[in-house]
Short mmCIF file of all heavy atoms in Angstrom, two decimals:
data_model
loop_
_atom_site.label_atom_id
_atom_site.label_comp_id
_atom_site.label_asym_id
_atom_site.label_seq_id
_atom_site.Cartn_x
_atom_site.Cartn_y
_atom_site.Cartn_z
N ILE Z 30 116.70 43.23 106.96
CA ILE Z 30 117.93 43.87 107.43
C ILE Z 30 118.43 43.10 108.65
O ILE Z 30 117.65 42.77 109.54
CB ILE Z 30 117.68 45.34 107.82
CG1 ILE Z 30 117.27 46.16 106.59
CG2 ILE Z 30 118.92 45.96 108.47
CD1 ILE Z 30 116.75 47.54 106.94
N TYR Z 31 119.72 42.82 108.71
CA TYR Z 31 120.30 42.19 109.90
C TYR Z 31 121.11 43.22 110.67
O TYR Z 31 121.93 43.93 110.08
CB TYR Z 31 121.20 41.01 109.52
CG TYR Z 31 122.08 40.57 110.66
CD1 TYR Z 31 121.52 40.09 111.84
CD2 TYR Z 31 123.46 40.67 110.58
CE1 TYR Z 31 122.32 39.71 112.91
CE2 TYR Z 31 124.26 40.29 111.64
CZ TYR Z 31 123.69 39.82 112.81
OH TYR Z 31 124.48 39.46 113.86
N THR Z 32 120.87 43.31 111.96
CA THR Z 32 121.61 44.26 112.80
C THR Z 32 122.24 43.54 113.97
O THR Z 32 121.53 43.01 114.84
CB THR Z 32 120.69 45.38 113.32
OG1 THR Z 32 120.02 46.00 112.21
CG2 THR Z 32 121.49 46.43 114.07
N ASP Z 33 123.56 43.51 114.00
CA ASP Z 33 124.32 42.89 115.07
C ASP Z 33 124.65 43.98 116.09
O ASP Z 33 125.65 44.70 115.96
CB ASP Z 33 125.60 42.27 114.50
CG ASP Z 33 126.46 41.61 115.55
OD1 ASP Z 33 126.14 41.72 116.75
OD2 ASP Z 33 127.48 41.00 115.18
N THR Z 34 123.80 44.14 117.11
CA THR Z 34 124.02 45.22 118.08
C THR Z 34 125.27 44.99 118.91
O THR Z 34 125.92 45.94 119.33
CB THR Z 34 122.81 45.37 119.02
OG1 THR Z 34 122.63 44.18 119.79
CG2 THR Z 34 121.54 45.65 118.22
N GLY Z 35 125.63 43.71 119.14
CA GLY Z 35 126.85 43.44 119.88
C GLY Z 35 128.07 43.99 119.17
O GLY Z 35 129.01 44.48 119.81
N ALA Z 36 128.05 43.94 117.83
CA ALA Z 36 129.17 44.46 117.06
C ALA Z 36 129.30 45.97 117.24
O ALA Z 36 130.42 46.52 117.18
CB ALA Z 36 128.98 44.14 115.57
N MET Z 37 128.18 46.65 117.49
CA MET Z 37 128.23 48.10 117.71
C MET Z 37 128.95 48.42 119.02
O MET Z 37 129.78 49.34 119.07
CB MET Z 37 126.81 48.67 117.70
CG MET Z 37 126.09 48.46 116.38
SD MET Z 37 124.36 48.99 116.39
CE MET Z 37 124.56 50.76 116.23
N TYR Z 38 128.66 47.65 120.06
CA TYR Z 38 129.35 47.87 121.34
C TYR Z 38 130.82 47.49 121.23
O TYR Z 38 131.69 48.13 121.83
CB TYR Z 38 128.66 47.08 122.45
CG TYR Z 38 127.31 47.63 122.81
CD1 TYR Z 38 126.15 47.07 122.31
CD2 TYR Z 38 127.20 48.76 123.63
CE1 TYR Z 38 124.90 47.59 122.61
CE2 TYR Z 38 125.95 49.29 123.94
CZ TYR Z 38 124.81 48.71 123.42
OH TYR Z 38 123.58 49.24 123.72
N ARG Z 39 131.10 46.46 120.45
CA ARG Z 39 132.49 46.08 120.21
C ARG Z 39 133.23 47.18 119.46
O ARG Z 39 134.42 47.45 119.72
CB ARG Z 39 132.55 44.77 119.42
CG ARG Z 39 132.23 43.53 120.23
CD ARG Z 39 132.21 42.28 119.36
NE ARG Z 39 132.08 41.08 120.16
CZ ARG Z 39 133.08 40.39 120.68
NH1 ARG Z 39 134.33 40.81 120.45
NH2 ARG Z 39 132.89 39.32 121.41
N ALA Z 40 132.54 47.82 118.50
CA ALA Z 40 133.17 48.89 117.73
C ALA Z 40 133.55 50.06 118.64
O ALA Z 40 134.63 50.66 118.49
CB ALA Z 40 132.23 49.36 116.62
N VAL Z 41 132.68 50.39 119.57
CA VAL Z 41 132.98 51.48 120.52
C VAL Z 41 134.17 51.08 121.39
O VAL Z 41 135.06 51.90 121.67
CB VAL Z 41 131.76 51.81 121.40
CG1 VAL Z 41 132.12 52.90 122.41
CG2 VAL Z 41 130.57 52.23 120.55
#
Side-chain angles (χ1 to χ4, degrees):
I30 296 169
Y31 165 62
T32 306
D33 180 354
T34 63
M37 298 175 78
Y38 290 99
R39 284 176 173 272
V41 178

